[in-house]
Amino acid sequence: MTYPIHGACQCGGVTYTLLAPPAMVVACHCKACQKLSTSAFSITAMVNAKDVVFEGVMADWSRPADSGNISAAKFCPTCGNRIYHFNPAQPDAIKLKPSNLSDTRIIQPTAHVWVSEKQDWFSIPDGVKQFDQQP
């Protein structure tokens, strides 16, 4: 994999450049992520804030997480694509939504979380870490 990798929302109003590989890629099966993705799970690439450069105007939204933390999101106000999530108490950690990268080969989950809420029809590949809830 060669960096940087570029990403953009559906309409191109928000673009970004990922400068380094993610620390890990996680598939979350919680009900909130199922609603977010309109699928069985949501993919997140954990990256350092210093390793990604964003351009364009983003809107934000937040909700309390089960942990008591705030789960905040940045998204394109025109097309609605989620760009990343973050905890305001940890601004250096970005939970990038990598499906909008130009090269999606990094989207290979190294862990699956909230498998206690996963769809019955989805099978997690052998050898991938699994957690019933948030580790």
Side-chain angles (χ1 to χ4, degrees):
M1 206 76 196
T2 304
Y3 291 84
I5 302 174
H6 302 283
C9 65
Q10 283 182 301
C11 73
V14 175
T15 61
Y16 64 92
T17 304
L18 181 60
L19 304 172
M24 67 185 311
V25 177
V26 177
C28 182
H29 297 266
C30 76
K31 296 298 182 189
C33 280
Q34 289 179 35
K35 286 182 180 183
L36 161 70
S37 68
T38 68
S39 187
F41 54 86
S42 177
I43 301 287
T44 299
M46 309 299 285
V47 300
N48 290 318
K50 66 179 176 54
D51 292 336
V52 62
V53 178
F54 297 101
E55 294 184 28
V57 175
M58 289 187 270
D60 49 292
W61 178 80
S62 64
R63 68 174 176 83
D66 290 340
S67 64
N69 293 326
I70 298 298
S71 179
K74 294 284 189 176
F75 61 95
C76 175
T78 302
C79 68
N81 262 162
R82 291 279 175 103
I83 305 298
Y84 69 93
H85 289 188
F86 66 102
N87 176 350
Q90 298 174 320
D92 293 336
I94 300 264
K95 301 169 188 171
L96 190 66
K97 307 312 284 177
S99 294
N100 50 29
L101 285 166
S102 59
D103 186 342
T104 55
R105 289 179 291 165
I106 69 165
I107 305 176
Q108 296 180 27
T110 53
H112 287 253
V113 299
W114 284 98
V115 296
S116 60
E117 295 184 3
K118 106 176 166 49
Q119 294 292 316
D120 290 338
W121 57 264
F122 182 78
S123 298
I124 296 172
D126 291 337
V128 179
K129 292 179 189 173
Q130 298 182 41
F131 300 92
D132 279 343
Q133 295 183 340
Q134 193 71 26

